[in-house]
Amino acid sequence: DAGITQSPRHKVTETGTPVTLRCHQTENHRYMYWYRQDPGHGLRLIHYSYGVKDTDKGEVSDGYSVSRSKTEDFLLTLESATSSQTSVYFCAISDSWGNEQYFGPGTRLTVT
Amino acid sequence: KQEVTQIPAALSVPEGENLVLNCSFTDSAIYNLQWFRQDPGKGLTSLLLIQSSQREQTSGRLNASLDKSSGRSTLYIAASQPGDSATYLCAVRDQGAQKLVFGQGTRLTINP
């Protein structure tokens, strides 16, 4: 299995609070991705990174920001959590563009 | 806009049977297609990656085929086992795109 960890694994937070999810990899892969998984929508890309300090938006980026200050860490921040951001969040990594993506175990976030 | 469909949504078969899972996509200009399995409450495990120039890929009891012109891929599982029970997802990457576009998955149950 690819060395990907996500923290926390579960979180319950209140509407309006900021939340940061962390993805950590030990594979030294260049590309990192954040997806969310929702019933009826499947998995959708939020943001991705193609190197340290290099990030770009995915298809559902509103309300989210990311940062990558080190190769191994990719942070996803919900500036002000809303109930619509209740979801399971997955981090993925890839060693180069177009190559196989490997997924982390996920973080289940509930916004009350 | 690429759309990926997996039919049926659920499939139940007795142990030992060979089976085929289907994935169809609307835009044939894909770069590659990836098959995953997801166990309940877990992350995605990559099974096979098939490039647009390839017709099939094999890994153990799994064989994935790709027919780009007809917008279809199949995942063949030989001699199914209860441990194969999971949700199977296919995802396509379009030419020049960063994101994977996922299908909704087929929930497979292998009955002992």
Side-chain angles (χ1 to χ4, degrees):
Chain A
D1 289 346
I4 311 169
T5 56
Q6 293 184 232
S7 58
R9 295 293 315 280
H10 301 271
K11 185 170 183 67
V12 179
T13 192
E14 292 185 350
T15 298
T17 60
V19 176
T20 296
L21 309 183
R22 180 186 185 230
C23 176
H24 178 79
Q25 58 140 334
T26 58
E27 305 296 324
N28 199 37
H29 282 3
R30 178 182 175 190
Y31 287 82
M32 299 186 75
Y33 306 84
W34 278 108
Y35 290 86
R36 59 179 289 176
Q37 185 176 35
D38 304 288
H41 291 280
L43 283 108
R44 293 174 293 173
L45 181 66
I46 305 171
H47 281 281
Y48 66 94
S49 170
Y50 48 97
V52 173
K53 298 192 190 307
D54 293 323
T55 64
D56 206 347
K57 296 178 180 180
E59 62 182 305
V60 289
S61 59
D62 287 348
Y64 301 95
S65 62
V66 290
S67 65
R68 190 169 179 201
S69 59
K70 298 185 290 185
T71 298
E72 58 266 34
D73 289 326
F74 192 31
L75 304 180
L76 177 70
T77 297
L78 289 64
E79 308 288 351
S80 176
T82 67
S83 59
S84 65
Q85 294 176 311
T86 292
S87 187
V88 181
Y89 291 85
F90 288 101
C91 173
I93 65 173
S94 178
D95 60 354
S96 66
W97 186 92
N99 277 6
E100 205 163 351
Q101 290 190 20
Y102 300 96
F103 281 71
T107 293
R108 182 173 296 276
L109 176 67
T110 301
V111 184
T112 61
Chain B
K1 178 186 173 186
Q2 180 72 266
E3 293 181 1
V4 179
T5 303
Q6 293 184 249
I7 295 173
L11 181 65
S12 180
V13 301
E15 180 178 4
E17 281 203 1
N18 303 324
L19 59 99
V20 173
L21 304 180
N22 297 299
C23 173
S24 62
F25 46 94
T26 54
D27 188 342
S28 62
I30 67 169
Y31 184 78
N32 57 32
L33 182 147
Q34 196 168 351
W35 280 95
F36 298 87
R37 71 173 278 168
Q38 184 175 27
D39 295 285
K42 305 288 187 181
L44 281 68
T45 300
S46 179
L47 298 174
L48 288 163
L49 175 73
I50 184 164
Q51 301 292 351
S52 62
S53 58
Q54 298 175 314
R55 295 301 299 265
E56 63 178 56
Q57 278 280 14
T58 298
S59 175
R61 295 183 294 109
L62 305 179
N63 176 277
S65 69
L66 176 64
D67 184 342
K68 236 182 27 164
S69 61
S70 67
R72 292 183 182 179
S73 176
T74 62
L75 181 67
Y76 174 83
I77 302 177
S80 58
Q81 304 170 358
D84 295 330
S85 296
T87 295
Y88 289 79
L89 298 159
C90 73
V92 303
R93 182 195 288 268
D94 291 334
Q95 294 281 354
Q98 275 295 342
K99 68 177 183 181
L100 293 177
V101 179
F102 283 83
Q104 296 286 331
T106 294
R107 188 173 69 253
L108 176 66
T109 303
I110 308 297
N111 301 303

